[in-house]
Amino acid sequence: MADRTTTRTARTKSAIFGAAEKLFLDHGYTGTSMDAVAELAGITKQTVYSHVGDKESLFLEVVDRMTGGAGDSLAARMVPPATVSSAEAYLVEFAEQQLEIVLTPRLMKLRRMVIGEHARFPALGQMLHRRGPGRSIARLAEVFETFAQRGLLKTGDARRAAVYFNWLVMGEPTNDAMLLGDDLLPGNAARRAHAEECVRIFMAAYGS
């Protein structure tokens, strides 16, 4: 009985967050009501409140789940740096995977929404940065320290090098998509070429 209850609760929450994500991304915080979330999820409004609290809590949780999910996906795809023989090959793969995971219409909508709601929810920007680029930079800094210890890179300040690499990879394509629209999101070939060029530039400064 307990397992069935847990499964039912998980399904209900999944429906709520799925509906809330779509509505918040399409209509923003102000334009989304808990009635609409309940209707789209196929449950009662009372059930929504009992599982997630109020609208503000639901909104913050949706943003947290979306940003954290992207980071989880990237971490799951990458091999442990201790097993790597080529820093250059690893970084090309890392950059390409990061571009594929982050540069999606869904996450670009999220970024625009967070910027639009910054005055109402100043903590949102901090959350997105911590769970998004902040997490990526922290992971890269650990990788660079490992590579430096193994003689694959000469980074000095590993975190500083991670900051430079992260924004070398993400800066231009993210800004293009944010400001000029999702049509500017790069395809597979463009992502690969951009990743290779960014790594070439980075290795010119930090390669062993």
Short mmCIF file of all heavy atoms in Angstrom, two decimals, residues 33-92:
data_model
loop_
_atom_site.label_atom_id
_atom_site.label_comp_id
_atom_site.label_asym_id
_atom_site.label_seq_id
_atom_site.Cartn_x
_atom_site.Cartn_y
_atom_site.Cartn_z
N SER A 33 -2.16 30.89 -13.48
CA SER A 33 -2.96 30.72 -12.26
C SER A 33 -2.88 29.28 -11.79
O SER A 33 -2.63 28.36 -12.57
CB SER A 33 -4.42 31.09 -12.52
OG SER A 33 -5.02 30.14 -13.38
N MET A 34 -3.13 29.09 -10.51
CA MET A 34 -3.16 27.72 -9.98
C MET A 34 -4.34 26.95 -10.56
O MET A 34 -4.29 25.73 -10.69
CB MET A 34 -3.21 27.76 -8.46
CG MET A 34 -1.95 28.34 -7.82
SD MET A 34 -0.49 27.33 -8.11
CE MET A 34 -0.45 26.40 -6.56
N ASP A 35 -5.43 27.65 -10.90
CA ASP A 35 -6.55 27.00 -11.58
C ASP A 35 -6.10 26.39 -12.90
O ASP A 35 -6.48 25.25 -13.24
CB ASP A 35 -7.68 28.00 -11.83
CG ASP A 35 -8.44 28.35 -10.56
OD1 ASP A 35 -8.83 27.42 -9.84
OD2 ASP A 35 -8.63 29.55 -10.30
N ALA A 36 -5.30 27.16 -13.65
CA ALA A 36 -4.82 26.68 -14.95
C ALA A 36 -3.88 25.49 -14.78
O ALA A 36 -3.93 24.54 -15.56
CB ALA A 36 -4.12 27.81 -15.70
N VAL A 37 -3.03 25.55 -13.76
CA VAL A 37 -2.12 24.43 -13.49
C VAL A 37 -2.93 23.17 -13.18
O VAL A 37 -2.66 22.09 -13.71
CB VAL A 37 -1.17 24.76 -12.33
CG1 VAL A 37 -0.36 23.53 -11.92
CG2 VAL A 37 -0.22 25.90 -12.71
N ALA A 38 -3.92 23.31 -12.32
CA ALA A 38 -4.75 22.17 -11.94
C ALA A 38 -5.48 21.60 -13.15
O ALA A 38 -5.54 20.37 -13.34
CB ALA A 38 -5.74 22.59 -10.86
N GLU A 39 -6.02 22.47 -13.98
CA GLU A 39 -6.77 22.01 -15.15
C GLU A 39 -5.86 21.26 -16.11
O GLU A 39 -6.23 20.18 -16.61
CB GLU A 39 -7.41 23.20 -15.85
CG GLU A 39 -8.24 22.81 -17.07
CD GLU A 39 -8.90 24.00 -17.75
OE1 GLU A 39 -8.78 25.13 -17.23
OE2 GLU A 39 -9.52 23.80 -18.80
N LEU A 40 -4.69 21.82 -16.38
CA LEU A 40 -3.78 21.17 -17.32
C LEU A 40 -3.24 19.85 -16.75
O LEU A 40 -3.03 18.89 -17.49
CB LEU A 40 -2.62 22.10 -17.66
CG LEU A 40 -1.66 21.64 -18.76
CD1 LEU A 40 -2.40 21.40 -20.07
CD2 LEU A 40 -0.55 22.66 -18.97
N ALA A 41 -3.03 19.81 -15.44
CA ALA A 41 -2.53 18.59 -14.80
C ALA A 41 -3.62 17.53 -14.64
O ALA A 41 -3.33 16.36 -14.37
CB ALA A 41 -1.93 18.91 -13.44
N GLY A 42 -4.89 17.95 -14.79
CA GLY A 42 -6.00 17.01 -14.66
C GLY A 42 -6.33 16.63 -13.24
O GLY A 42 -6.79 15.52 -12.97
N ILE A 43 -6.09 17.57 -12.30
CA ILE A 43 -6.39 17.33 -10.89
C ILE A 43 -7.07 18.56 -10.32
O ILE A 43 -7.24 19.58 -11.00
CB ILE A 43 -5.10 17.03 -10.08
CG1 ILE A 43 -4.09 18.16 -10.25
CG2 ILE A 43 -4.49 15.71 -10.51
CD1 ILE A 43 -2.80 17.95 -9.49
N THR A 44 -7.47 18.50 -9.06
CA THR A 44 -8.14 19.64 -8.44
C THR A 44 -7.12 20.66 -7.95
O THR A 44 -5.96 20.31 -7.66
CB THR A 44 -9.00 19.18 -7.24
OG1 THR A 44 -8.14 18.69 -6.21
CG2 THR A 44 -9.98 18.10 -7.66
N LYS A 45 -7.56 21.89 -7.81
CA LYS A 45 -6.68 22.93 -7.30
C LYS A 45 -6.25 22.62 -5.87
O LYS A 45 -5.10 22.89 -5.47
CB LYS A 45 -7.35 24.30 -7.37
CG LYS A 45 -6.43 25.45 -6.96
CD LYS A 45 -6.98 26.81 -7.34
CE LYS A 45 -8.20 27.17 -6.55
NZ LYS A 45 -8.60 28.59 -6.77
N GLN A 46 -7.15 22.05 -5.09
CA GLN A 46 -6.82 21.69 -3.72
C GLN A 46 -5.67 20.68 -3.68
O GLN A 46 -4.79 20.75 -2.82
CB GLN A 46 -8.04 21.12 -3.01
CG GLN A 46 -7.80 20.77 -1.54
CD GLN A 46 -9.05 20.23 -0.86
OE1 GLN A 46 -10.11 20.11 -1.48
NE2 GLN A 46 -8.93 19.91 0.41
N THR A 47 -5.68 19.74 -4.64
CA THR A 47 -4.60 18.77 -4.71
C THR A 47 -3.27 19.44 -5.04
O THR A 47 -2.22 19.09 -4.49
CB THR A 47 -4.92 17.69 -5.76
OG1 THR A 47 -6.15 17.04 -5.41
CG2 THR A 47 -3.82 16.65 -5.84
N VAL A 48 -3.32 20.40 -5.94
CA VAL A 48 -2.10 21.14 -6.28
C VAL A 48 -1.53 21.82 -5.04
O VAL A 48 -0.34 21.68 -4.72
CB VAL A 48 -2.38 22.19 -7.38
CG1 VAL A 48 -1.13 23.04 -7.62
CG2 VAL A 48 -2.82 21.52 -8.67
N TYR A 49 -2.38 22.54 -4.31
CA TYR A 49 -1.92 23.24 -3.11
C TYR A 49 -1.37 22.27 -2.07
O TYR A 49 -0.37 22.55 -1.40
CB TYR A 49 -3.06 24.06 -2.51
CG TYR A 49 -3.27 25.39 -3.17
CD1 TYR A 49 -4.43 25.65 -3.91
CD2 TYR A 49 -2.33 26.41 -3.06
CE1 TYR A 49 -4.64 26.88 -4.51
CE2 TYR A 49 -2.52 27.65 -3.66
CZ TYR A 49 -3.68 27.88 -4.38
OH TYR A 49 -3.87 29.11 -4.98
N SER A 50 -2.01 21.11 -1.94
CA SER A 50 -1.58 20.17 -0.90
C SER A 50 -0.22 19.56 -1.21
O SER A 50 0.51 19.16 -0.31
CB SER A 50 -2.62 19.06 -0.74
OG SER A 50 -2.65 18.21 -1.88
N HIS A 51 0.15 19.53 -2.50
CA HIS A 51 1.43 18.93 -2.88
C HIS A 51 2.56 19.94 -2.99
O HIS A 51 3.72 19.58 -2.74
CB HIS A 51 1.29 18.19 -4.21
CG HIS A 51 0.68 16.83 -4.08
ND1 HIS A 51 -0.68 16.62 -4.06
CD2 HIS A 51 1.25 15.60 -3.96
CE1 HIS A 51 -0.93 15.33 -3.94
NE2 HIS A 51 0.22 14.69 -3.87
N VAL A 52 2.26 21.17 -3.38
CA VAL A 52 3.36 22.11 -3.67
C VAL A 52 3.25 23.42 -2.91
O VAL A 52 4.12 24.29 -3.05
CB VAL A 52 3.45 22.41 -5.18
CG1 VAL A 52 3.71 21.14 -5.97
CG2 VAL A 52 2.18 23.09 -5.69
N GLY A 53 2.22 23.60 -2.11
CA GLY A 53 2.08 24.88 -1.42
C GLY A 53 1.48 25.93 -2.32
O GLY A 53 0.60 25.64 -3.12
N ASP A 54 1.99 27.13 -2.23
CA ASP A 54 1.39 28.23 -3.00
C ASP A 54 2.07 28.39 -4.36
O ASP A 54 3.01 27.68 -4.71
CB ASP A 54 1.46 29.54 -2.20
CG ASP A 54 2.88 29.91 -1.80
OD1 ASP A 54 3.84 29.35 -2.37
OD2 ASP A 54 3.03 30.76 -0.90
N LYS A 55 1.58 29.35 -5.12
CA LYS A 55 2.07 29.58 -6.48
C LYS A 55 3.54 29.99 -6.49
O LYS A 55 4.32 29.54 -7.35
CB LYS A 55 1.20 30.64 -7.16
CG LYS A 55 1.63 31.02 -8.58
CD LYS A 55 0.62 32.00 -9.15
CE LYS A 55 1.20 32.91 -10.18
NZ LYS A 55 0.26 33.89 -10.71
N GLU A 56 3.94 30.82 -5.55
CA GLU A 56 5.33 31.25 -5.51
C GLU A 56 6.27 30.06 -5.27
O GLU A 56 7.31 29.93 -5.93
CB GLU A 56 5.52 32.29 -4.40
CG GLU A 56 6.96 32.78 -4.29
CD GLU A 56 7.11 33.88 -3.26
OE1 GLU A 56 6.10 34.57 -2.96
OE2 GLU A 56 8.23 34.06 -2.75
N SER A 57 5.90 29.19 -4.35
CA SER A 57 6.72 28.00 -4.08
C SER A 57 6.80 27.10 -5.30
O SER A 57 7.86 26.55 -5.62
CB SER A 57 6.13 27.22 -2.90
OG SER A 57 6.13 27.99 -1.72
N LEU A 58 5.68 26.95 -5.99
CA LEU A 58 5.66 26.14 -7.20
C LEU A 58 6.57 26.73 -8.27
O LEU A 58 7.34 26.02 -8.93
CB LEU A 58 4.22 26.03 -7.72
CG LEU A 58 4.02 25.29 -9.05
CD1 LEU A 58 4.54 23.85 -8.96
CD2 LEU A 58 2.55 25.30 -9.45
N PHE A 59 6.51 28.03 -8.45
CA PHE A 59 7.32 28.73 -9.44
C PHE A 59 8.81 28.51 -9.15
O PHE A 59 9.59 28.16 -10.05
CB PHE A 59 6.98 30.21 -9.40
CG PHE A 59 7.69 31.05 -10.43
CD1 PHE A 59 7.51 30.83 -11.78
CD2 PHE A 59 8.54 32.08 -10.04
CE1 PHE A 59 8.15 31.61 -12.73
CE2 PHE A 59 9.19 32.86 -10.97
CZ PHE A 59 9.00 32.63 -12.32
N LEU A 60 9.22 28.73 -7.91
CA LEU A 60 10.62 28.56 -7.55
C LEU A 60 11.08 27.12 -7.75
O LEU A 60 12.20 26.88 -8.20
CB LEU A 60 10.84 28.99 -6.10
CG LEU A 60 10.64 30.49 -5.81
CD1 LEU A 60 10.69 30.75 -4.31
CD2 LEU A 60 11.69 31.32 -6.53
N GLU A 61 10.21 26.17 -7.43
CA GLU A 61 10.56 24.76 -7.59
C GLU A 61 10.71 24.40 -9.06
O GLU A 61 11.61 23.62 -9.43
CB GLU A 61 9.51 23.88 -6.92
CG GLU A 61 9.77 22.39 -7.03
CD GLU A 61 10.96 21.91 -6.23
OE1 GLU A 61 11.43 22.68 -5.35
OE2 GLU A 61 11.43 20.79 -6.47
N VAL A 62 9.87 24.94 -9.91
CA VAL A 62 9.97 24.67 -11.34
C VAL A 62 11.33 25.17 -11.88
O VAL A 62 12.03 24.46 -12.61
CB VAL A 62 8.81 25.33 -12.11
CG1 VAL A 62 9.10 25.37 -13.61
CG2 VAL A 62 7.52 24.59 -11.85
N VAL A 63 11.69 26.39 -11.50
CA VAL A 63 12.97 26.94 -11.96
C VAL A 63 14.13 26.09 -11.44
O VAL A 63 15.08 25.77 -12.18
CB VAL A 63 13.12 28.41 -11.51
CG1 VAL A 63 14.52 28.93 -11.84
CG2 VAL A 63 12.07 29.28 -12.18
N ASP A 64 14.06 25.70 -10.18
CA ASP A 64 15.12 24.90 -9.59
C ASP A 64 15.25 23.55 -10.29
O ASP A 64 16.36 23.09 -10.59
CB ASP A 64 14.83 24.70 -8.10
CG ASP A 64 16.00 24.06 -7.36
OD1 ASP A 64 17.14 24.49 -7.58
OD2 ASP A 64 15.77 23.14 -6.58
N ARG A 65 14.12 22.91 -10.57
CA ARG A 65 14.16 21.61 -11.24
C ARG A 65 14.72 21.72 -12.66
O ARG A 65 15.49 20.85 -13.09
CB ARG A 65 12.75 21.02 -11.31
CG ARG A 65 12.26 20.41 -10.00
CD ARG A 65 10.78 20.05 -10.09
NE ARG A 65 10.34 19.31 -8.92
CZ ARG A 65 10.02 18.01 -8.92
NH1 ARG A 65 10.07 17.32 -10.03
NH2 ARG A 65 9.65 17.40 -7.81
N MET A 66 14.34 22.76 -13.37
CA MET A 66 14.81 22.91 -14.75
C MET A 66 16.32 23.16 -14.81
O MET A 66 17.03 22.56 -15.61
CB MET A 66 14.05 24.03 -15.45
CG MET A 66 12.59 23.72 -15.71
SD MET A 66 11.75 25.07 -16.57
CE MET A 66 12.51 24.97 -18.21
N THR A 67 16.80 24.05 -13.96
CA THR A 67 18.23 24.35 -13.99
C THR A 67 19.04 23.18 -13.48
O THR A 67 20.09 22.83 -14.05
CB THR A 67 18.53 25.61 -13.16
OG1 THR A 67 17.98 25.46 -11.85
CG2 THR A 67 17.93 26.84 -13.80
N GLY A 68 18.57 22.55 -12.41
CA GLY A 68 19.29 21.40 -11.88
C GLY A 68 19.28 20.22 -12.83
O GLY A 68 20.26 19.48 -12.94
N GLY A 69 18.18 20.03 -13.55
CA GLY A 69 18.08 18.92 -14.49
C GLY A 69 19.09 19.01 -15.61
O GLY A 69 19.66 17.98 -16.03
N ALA A 70 19.35 20.21 -16.10
CA ALA A 70 20.35 20.37 -17.16
C ALA A 70 21.73 19.99 -16.65
O ALA A 70 22.50 19.30 -17.33
CB ALA A 70 20.33 21.82 -17.67
N GLY A 71 22.05 20.44 -15.44
CA GLY A 71 23.34 20.09 -14.87
C GLY A 71 23.49 18.60 -14.63
O GLY A 71 24.56 18.02 -14.86
N ASP A 72 22.42 17.97 -14.18
CA ASP A 72 22.45 16.52 -13.95
C ASP A 72 22.69 15.77 -15.26
O ASP A 72 23.44 14.78 -15.30
CB ASP A 72 21.14 16.05 -13.33
CG ASP A 72 20.94 16.55 -11.91
OD1 ASP A 72 21.93 16.99 -11.29
OD2 ASP A 72 19.79 16.52 -11.44
N SER A 73 22.06 16.23 -16.32
CA SER A 73 22.22 15.57 -17.63
C SER A 73 23.66 15.65 -18.11
O SER A 73 24.22 14.67 -18.62
CB SER A 73 21.29 16.20 -18.66
OG SER A 73 19.94 15.99 -18.32
N LEU A 74 24.28 16.82 -17.94
CA LEU A 74 25.66 16.98 -18.38
C LEU A 74 26.60 16.10 -17.55
O LEU A 74 27.48 15.43 -18.10
CB LEU A 74 26.08 18.44 -18.26
CG LEU A 74 27.51 18.78 -18.72
CD1 LEU A 74 27.70 18.40 -20.18
CD2 LEU A 74 27.81 20.26 -18.50
N ALA A 75 26.39 16.07 -16.24
CA ALA A 75 27.25 15.26 -15.37
C ALA A 75 27.14 13.77 -15.72
O ALA A 75 28.14 13.04 -15.71
CB ALA A 75 26.87 15.49 -13.91
N ALA A 76 25.93 13.34 -16.07
CA ALA A 76 25.71 11.93 -16.36
C ALA A 76 26.39 11.49 -17.66
O ALA A 76 26.73 10.32 -17.82
CB ALA A 76 24.21 11.64 -16.43
N ARG A 77 26.58 12.42 -18.57
CA ARG A 77 27.14 12.05 -19.88
C ARG A 77 28.67 12.00 -19.89
O ARG A 77 29.25 11.38 -20.78
CB ARG A 77 26.69 13.06 -20.94
CG ARG A 77 25.21 13.03 -21.24
CD ARG A 77 24.92 13.88 -22.47
NE ARG A 77 23.50 14.06 -22.71
CZ ARG A 77 23.01 14.65 -23.79
NH1 ARG A 77 23.83 15.10 -24.72
NH2 ARG A 77 21.70 14.79 -23.96
N MET A 78 29.33 12.68 -18.95
CA MET A 78 30.78 12.81 -19.01
C MET A 78 31.49 11.70 -18.26
O MET A 78 31.05 11.28 -17.20
CB MET A 78 31.21 14.18 -18.45
CG MET A 78 30.60 15.36 -19.19
SD MET A 78 30.82 15.31 -21.01
CE MET A 78 32.61 15.28 -21.14
N VAL A 79 32.60 11.24 -18.83
CA VAL A 79 33.40 10.20 -18.18
C VAL A 79 34.26 10.84 -17.09
O VAL A 79 34.54 12.04 -17.12
CB VAL A 79 34.31 9.48 -19.20
CG1 VAL A 79 33.47 8.82 -20.27
CG2 VAL A 79 35.31 10.46 -19.81
N PRO A 80 34.68 10.08 -16.07
CA PRO A 80 35.54 10.63 -15.00
C PRO A 80 36.85 11.16 -15.57
O PRO A 80 37.51 10.48 -16.38
CB PRO A 80 35.78 9.43 -14.07
CG PRO A 80 34.65 8.49 -14.37
CD PRO A 80 34.33 8.68 -15.81
N PRO A 81 37.27 12.37 -15.17
CA PRO A 81 38.50 12.95 -15.74
C PRO A 81 39.76 12.13 -15.44
O PRO A 81 40.74 12.21 -16.18
CB PRO A 81 38.57 14.33 -15.10
CG PRO A 81 37.70 14.26 -13.88
CD PRO A 81 36.62 13.28 -14.22
N ALA A 82 39.73 11.34 -14.35
CA ALA A 82 40.91 10.54 -13.99
C ALA A 82 41.21 9.46 -15.03
O ALA A 82 42.32 8.93 -15.07
CB ALA A 82 40.71 9.92 -12.62
N THR A 83 40.22 9.13 -15.87
CA THR A 83 40.41 8.08 -16.88
C THR A 83 40.78 8.64 -18.25
O THR A 83 40.98 7.88 -19.19
CB THR A 83 39.13 7.24 -17.02
OG1 THR A 83 38.08 8.07 -17.57
CG2 THR A 83 38.68 6.69 -15.68
N VAL A 84 40.88 9.96 -18.35
CA VAL A 84 41.06 10.62 -19.65
C VAL A 84 42.55 10.72 -19.99
O VAL A 84 43.38 11.02 -19.13
CB VAL A 84 40.43 12.04 -19.60
CG1 VAL A 84 40.79 12.83 -20.84
CG2 VAL A 84 38.92 11.92 -19.46
N SER A 85 42.89 10.48 -21.25
CA SER A 85 44.28 10.59 -21.69
C SER A 85 44.54 11.88 -22.46
O SER A 85 45.69 12.29 -22.61
CB SER A 85 44.66 9.39 -22.56
OG SER A 85 43.81 9.31 -23.70
N SER A 86 43.48 12.52 -22.96
CA SER A 86 43.63 13.76 -23.74
C SER A 86 42.69 14.83 -23.19
O SER A 86 41.47 14.69 -23.28
CB SER A 86 43.32 13.50 -25.21
OG SER A 86 43.18 14.73 -25.93
N ALA A 87 43.27 15.89 -22.63
CA ALA A 87 42.45 17.00 -22.14
C ALA A 87 41.68 17.64 -23.28
O ALA A 87 40.52 18.02 -23.13
CB ALA A 87 43.33 18.04 -21.44
N GLU A 88 42.31 17.77 -24.43
CA GLU A 88 41.67 18.42 -25.57
C GLU A 88 40.43 17.66 -26.02
O GLU A 88 39.36 18.26 -26.22
CB GLU A 88 42.67 18.53 -26.73
CG GLU A 88 42.12 19.30 -27.92
CD GLU A 88 43.19 19.56 -28.97
OE1 GLU A 88 44.33 19.09 -28.80
OE2 GLU A 88 42.88 20.24 -29.96
N ALA A 89 40.53 16.35 -26.16
CA ALA A 89 39.39 15.55 -26.58
C ALA A 89 38.27 15.61 -25.55
O ALA A 89 37.08 15.71 -25.91
CB ALA A 89 39.81 14.10 -26.81
N TYR A 90 38.64 15.55 -24.28
CA TYR A 90 37.63 15.63 -23.21
C TYR A 90 36.88 16.96 -23.27
O TYR A 90 35.65 17.00 -23.15
CB TYR A 90 38.30 15.46 -21.85
CG TYR A 90 37.35 15.54 -20.68
CD1 TYR A 90 36.79 14.39 -20.13
CD2 TYR A 90 37.00 16.77 -20.12
CE1 TYR A 90 35.91 14.45 -19.06
CE2 TYR A 90 36.11 16.84 -19.04
CZ TYR A 90 35.58 15.69 -18.51
OH TYR A 90 34.71 15.77 -17.45
N LEU A 91 37.61 18.05 -23.44
CA LEU A 91 36.99 19.38 -23.41
C LEU A 91 36.12 19.62 -24.64
O LEU A 91 35.09 20.31 -24.55
CB LEU A 91 38.05 20.46 -23.28
CG LEU A 91 38.76 20.50 -21.92
CD1 LEU A 91 39.86 21.54 -21.92
CD2 LEU A 91 37.75 20.77 -20.80
N VAL A 92 36.51 19.09 -25.78
CA VAL A 92 35.65 19.19 -26.96
C VAL A 92 34.33 18.47 -26.69
O VAL A 92 33.24 19.01 -26.98
CB VAL A 92 36.34 18.61 -28.21
CG1 VAL A 92 35.33 18.47 -29.36
CG2 VAL A 92 37.49 19.49 -28.65
#
